[in-house]
Amino acid sequence: MAGRAAIVGVGQTYHRSKRPDVNQIEMINEAVRAALEDAQLTPKEIDCVLFGNMEQAEGSYLMDCWATEGTGAYLKEGCKVHTGGTTGASVAEAAAHHAASGLFDTVLAVTYEKQDETPAGMGPLALVQDYLWAIHTGAFGWFARMGRKYMLETGCQEEHAAITRLKSDRCACKNPHAHLRLNLTMQDVLNSRMLLYPLRLLYMCPTTAGACALVFASEERAPKITKKPVWVKDWETVHYEMVGYEAYFTSRMTSMETAANRIYHRNGITNVRRDIQCAEIYEPSTWSELQFSEWFHFCEKGEAWRMAEKGVSDLEGEFPINPSGGVVCTNPIGCTAMVRVAEAALQIRGDAGEHQVTRDVKRAVATGFGGSFWTEMLLLQRSWD
Amino acid sequence: MTEKAEFMRLPATVNLEYKYSTGRYLGRFYKELRDNKRLVANKCGKCGRVLFPPRIACPDCMVRASDEWVEVGPQATLIFFYELQIPGLAERHAANYLGVLALDGTEAELSCFEHRLMVDDPGKLREGMRMEPVFNEEGRTGRIRDDILGFKPIEG
Amino acid sequence: MKREETEAFVLAQPYSAPYEHATGPVGTRFFTELRDNQKILGMKCSGCNIVYMPPRSTCPRCFAKLEEWVELGDEGTLLTYTVVRYHEPTHPTDAPFAYGIIKLDGADTGIGHLLGEVDLKNISIGMRVKAVFKEEREGNLLDIKYFKPI
Ligand SMILES: [Zn+2]
Ligand SMILES: [Zn+2]
């Protein structure tokens, strides 16, 4: 990459199950205003607007066109990026590309999902599958299998998933933007409804309405906009072969390991928990937080549940994972991966408020996860070097 | 305050009839299934990987797959199973149990798939158990989820 | 390989999804006035001096928050039109029918709607039209049955 790009503005809505008080465009507008205010920029100072959501989720197509009054894209350049669950990270990566390219000084990246307008049971998302093939229970089946496999291979017991879920809840309770803030007890978690063994309702991400916006700026412009630019040092997108159920197996390299290996190698990261201080990962279920942590090399194979047990991944821990509460607490799908980037940026700035981690975060990773097991990973830093 | 009284919502039901082409590789698979109750896969000419479901290119070698066809299954190993406890799911799939199955002769990790489990006693379901398909004997149309009714344990 | 062996299938995949869209505070007021009082409201941006119809909560051009409601008449001018002569299940009525873009008096933006009580051979751009409301109104744009020539 010839140029450099930094995040100079972060904004998101308060995430909720339902937002009957606003339409989609008005909800998007809330996040955009918040990001512009954070960057202290006017819409006039934005050169380009990139946009994304989970196409079909709300039955409103071409929302980049309809939502210009929400995004402020009127007469500006930009386009829509749509990659399913990873959309939020894809839009962020695209915005970093645009800002680093030298073509635009400032790029606004906007994503949203308003799942209270989606038919119950995520009807349209039932089509998110290899459309020619067989029978699917979709995400529930995947994460149940992942949990089962993880237990069998590592000796993890259900209580470790519960410990991890309680950690997410404690973090979410400190994050005013989070959706599920439940003050859970161990009993609440272990008594929550079993969907597909060993996946309980509380181990699964909710359906959320919310929006997020980020302002990216070029190397030259970023320091003029803010004293605390968050540099987008590197990013990686890895796709996977869909058909099989890799969630159940690990003999092949997953998209997550591949992305992490490339990012760590390119950036001289040899001791992940030392060289990176915080992670905001897209964990669609509590079981995937454990499994993904190993694939991202946050710990040795088979050790993630011990890490949770020891409180390593807590907000005050040695390596905080999802101090925002993560995806099991907040999941406006097409926007979810951007919330990871936004929260990681806030941790680096030291602006996360009550859910600011104890450790000084100079460097953080944010990830997206989607559809056929693909991964996006961004490396964010307080200073470029 | 109730949401409905305060803010208006507009219903907008979308009804669409998509039509998906299988292409020649999956097409052959479905034709063999429909006409001969045979499950077939094609192979990569370079690395020899059995591609199931059949497809045009080998994802490992990125080369066009060969027209060398092999029969796989019909016996399979049960890799994972679960009860459909989520409301509506059992009705949608016309089964109380679904399983992830790997057909004999295929690479389980990359070729296993979900299907209905037909069992009298679910308590006997075990991961790793051997199963075989129950074919639809009347009016197969060329679709794995309809032409195979489900998988049942191999007796004995 | 013989042709019949490579025959591709076409698989039908029906898709039905009952979406429900929130109209938000501005949309709610607009549709409620339309339904209950047969009134058509627009929204003005004083900065840009534009009256938007349908109304919106943010000015797309200057990004200002909008709160200045304007009551528009039920008469307006036809900006452009076409006559539909083929049938589609998504059409609001059977072909042939005419629809056009109508700019209501007092508004600066036009809205697409049906033309009714009209000779399809005798429609002209610039003609004056008037909204005809439905008897049974539900709170959507088709509470206006159509616009008819004055
Ligand atoms: Zn090969
Ligand atoms: Zn204006």
Side-chain angles (χ1 to χ4, degrees):
Chain A
M1 181 60 60
R4 297 174 180 181
I7 296 169
V8 297
V10 174
Q12 58 181 313
T13 60
Y14 293 91
H15 300 276
R16 299 289 179 259
S17 297
K18 294 191 164 97
R19 287 297 307 274
D21 56 318
V22 284
N23 64 30
Q24 293 170 40
I25 297 168
E26 289 161 348
M27 190 181 74
I28 291 162
N29 190 257
E30 289 178 10
V32 170
R33 283 186 191 279
L36 289 173
E37 195 188 319
D38 186 53
Q40 291 289 299
L41 291 175
T42 64
K44 278 202 177 72
E45 296 172 276
I46 298 294
D47 298 335
C48 171
V49 178
L50 300 178
F51 185 87
N53 75 317
M54 181 88 185
E55 189 87 66
Q56 289 188 338
E58 292 84 3
S60 49
Y61 295 75
L62 305 177
M63 277 304 286
D64 53 325
C65 303
W66 306 127
T68 51
E69 75 206 51
T71 60
Y74 181 70
L75 293 184
K76 292 190 197 301
E77 295 208 50
C79 65
K80 176 171 176 168
V81 178
H82 159 57
T83 63
T86 44
T87 296
S90 301
V91 177
E93 288 180 2
H97 272 289
H98 278 64
S101 71
L103 295 174
F104 305 100
D105 285 334
T106 52
V107 181
L108 177 69
V110 189
T111 55
Y112 84 104
E113 214 70 83
K114 198 159 186 295
Q115 290 202 62
D116 53 331
E117 304 197 13
T118 305
M122 297 303 291
L125 297 188
L127 292 182
V128 181
Q129 52 173 295
D130 185 336
Y131 59 93
L132 294 172
W133 197 244
I135 291 167
H136 276 268
T137 42
F140 292 123
W142 273 14
F143 301 123
R145 284 194 289 279
M146 185 177 288
R148 177 87 175 115
K149 182 216 68 173
Y150 189 76
M151 290 173 86
L152 288 173
E153 283 182 359
T154 67
C156 171
Q157 301 296 308
E158 202 204 324
E159 67 175 277
H160 302 109
I163 288 170
T164 307
R165 184 61 184 83
L166 288 176
K167 184 265 301 177
S168 306
D169 185 54
R170 280 197 305 278
C171 292
C173 286
K174 292 183 175 179
N175 173 8
H177 290 98
H179 170 193
L180 297 181
R181 307 163 76 216
L182 302 171
N183 280 307
L184 294 170
T185 65
M186 189 63 132
Q187 280 312 307
D188 295 335
V189 177
L190 293 176
N191 289 337
S192 89
R193 204 173 88 218
M194 188 64 84
L195 300 174
L196 300 174
Y197 179 81
L199 183 70
R200 292 186 188 278
L201 184 62
L202 277 174
Y203 298 150
M204 196 64 197
C205 52
T207 54
T208 303
C212 183
L214 297 171
V215 184
F216 290 76
S218 62
E219 180 179 2
E220 201 167 274
R221 191 71 197 285
K224 292 179 186 147
I225 294 172
T226 175
K227 289 195 181 71
K228 293 193 267 190
V230 174
W231 297 99
V232 189
K233 184 70 196 296
D234 200 357
W235 56 87
E236 183 68 48
T237 301
V238 180
H239 285 79
Y240 204 80
E241 168 186 351
M242 184 60 171
V243 172
Y245 286 89
E246 51 292 321
Y248 198 83
F249 301 94
T250 47
S251 68
R252 285 194 176 223
M253 186 81 80
T254 63
S255 64
M256 274 155 258
E257 285 171 287
T258 308
N261 288 350
R262 289 178 187 164
I263 292 251
Y264 299 162
H265 177 73
R266 283 202 294 262
N267 295 279
I269 294 165
T270 50
N271 179 335
V272 176
R273 266 150 63 177
R274 178 195 66 201
D275 299 341
I276 297 169
Q277 290 83 38
C278 173
E280 273 286 346
I281 64 169
Y282 195 127
E283 63 4 319
S285 83
T286 299
W287 290 112
S288 36
E289 176 169 337
L290 295 171
Q291 177 67 79
F292 290 9
S293 292
E294 295 179 11
W295 286 338
F296 289 132
H297 308 305
F298 298 159
C299 59
E300 297 297 319
K301 291 272 155 64
E303 295 289 318
W305 61 273
R306 292 182 214 272
M307 188 167 67
E309 195 175 41
K310 289 182 195 144
V312 172
S313 51
D314 281 14
L315 214 135
E316 307 83 6
E318 178 211 326
F319 189 77
I321 299 172
N322 291 1
S324 65
V327 184
V328 289
C329 300
T330 308
N331 186 32
I333 305 177
C335 163
T336 299
M338 184 174 281
V339 175
R340 309 276 70 72
V341 181
E343 290 288 349
L346 289 176
Q347 291 291 345
I348 288 174
R349 277 168 39 173
D351 288 342
E354 235 198 300
H355 64 289
Q356 181 71 40
V357 304
T358 310
R359 199 177 182 194
D360 182 38
V361 182
K362 295 193 179 81
R363 202 185 219 178
V365 285
T367 75
F369 167 85
S372 62
F373 236 74
W374 75 71
T375 295
E376 303 199 27
M377 191 175 208
L378 293 95
L379 181 68
L380 307 181
Q381 297 187 178
R382 190 181 291 161
S383 64
W384 183 266
D385 301 308
Chain B
M1 96 184 183
T2 65
E3 286 165 8
K4 277 226 154 69
E6 185 100 337
F7 294 106
M8 196 178 281
R9 296 170 79 85
L10 295 180
T13 295
V14 174
N15 291 304
L16 301 168
E17 299 287 333
Y18 291 110
K19 293 192 196 82
Y20 299 140
S21 295
T22 59
R24 58 180 286 217
Y25 293 88
L26 263 181
R28 169 146 179 178
F29 169 81
Y30 283 123
K31 191 174 193 304
E32 287 283 356
L33 174 61
R34 181 190 66 187
D35 299 345
N36 307 316
K37 293 196 280 184
R38 268 213 309 258
L39 299 160
V40 295
N42 66 332
K43 288 177 82 167
C44 171
K46 197 172 170 194
C47 71
R49 177 173 155 188
V50 173
L51 298 168
F52 181 84
R55 72 201 81 161
I56 193 166
C58 173
D60 288 333
C61 309
M62 292 307 287
V63 298
R64 198 176 173 103
S66 76
D67 267 326
E68 187 190 342
W69 291 81
V70 291
E71 198 170 339
V72 292
Q75 297 196 348
T77 302
L78 180 62
I79 289 168
F80 188 82
F81 64 91
Y82 36 67
E83 190 180 356
L84 296 176
Q85 293 157 310
I86 303 166
L89 219 52
E91 291 73 22
R92 198 202 306 164
H93 294 307
N96 290 319
Y97 285 83
L98 284 192
V100 176
L101 297 135
L103 292 171
D104 292 356
T106 67
E107 192 181 341
E109 171 160 0
L110 295 164
S111 297
C112 60
F113 58 94
E114 271 177 286
H115 218 298
R116 301 176 200 94
L117 299 182
M118 302 169 81
V119 282
D120 300 328
D121 180 5
K124 286 192 181 144
L125 283 172
R126 292 284 178 272
E127 282 154 14
M129 78 190 288
R130 303 282 298 153
M131 308 203 82
E132 62 186 359
V134 178
F135 292 99
N136 180 358
E137 295 299 345
E138 25 197 288
R140 285 188 298 275
T141 57
R143 195 148 199 178
I144 192 169
R145 71 179 181 209
D146 301 328
D147 291 355
I148 294 175
L149 298 175
F151 280 76
K152 65 169 188 187
I154 296 173
E155 302 298 335
Chain C
M1 210 166 210
K2 279 182 288 177
R3 185 170 169 76
E4 62 267 28
E5 281 179 331
T6 63
E7 186 180 65
F9 279 72
V10 173
L11 304 177
Q13 177 68 64
Y15 167 75
S16 177
Y19 295 104
E20 208 180 70
H21 294 138
T23 60
V26 168
T28 296
R29 174 148 177 205
F30 173 79
F31 288 118
T32 306
E33 287 290 340
L34 193 66
R35 180 189 62 195
D36 298 348
N37 304 316
Q38 301 179 40
K39 268 187 197 163
I40 305 172
L41 298 182
M43 186 71 90
K44 184 172 181 179
C45 175
S46 298
C48 298
N49 201 24
I50 294 174
V51 174
Y52 291 104
M53 154 62 195
R56 43 196 74 218
S57 47
T58 295
C59 175
R61 308 197 183 184
C62 73
F63 215 62
K65 283 188 177 169
L66 303 182
E67 285 165 340
E68 198 178 335
W69 289 92
V70 181
E71 189 177 335
L72 306 170
D74 55 2
E75 295 183 4
T77 305
L78 186 64
L79 296 182
T80 183
Y81 74 97
T82 190
V83 177
V84 178
R85 299 194 180 277
Y86 67 100
H87 182 70
E88 280 280 354
T90 50
H91 285 166
T93 185
D94 289 336
F97 65 91
Y99 78 99
I101 306 286
I102 294 118
K103 188 157 79 95
L104 289 169
D105 295 346
D108 292 299
T109 58
I111 188 162
H113 216 298
L114 300 165
L115 299 174
E117 297 180 46
V118 65
D119 176 1
L120 294 181
K121 293 195 200 87
N122 202 6
I123 305 173
S124 59
I125 289 172
M127 75 193 276
R128 298 284 295 160
V129 293
K130 183 179 169 63
V132 175
F133 288 88
K134 270 187 189 158
E135 288 295 315
E136 300 278 319
R137 292 180 299 279
E138 299 164 341
N140 61 52
L141 260 193
L142 286 173
D143 283 353
I144 299 172
K145 206 167 159 187
Y146 47 70
F147 285 83
K148 67 170 188 185
I150 298 173

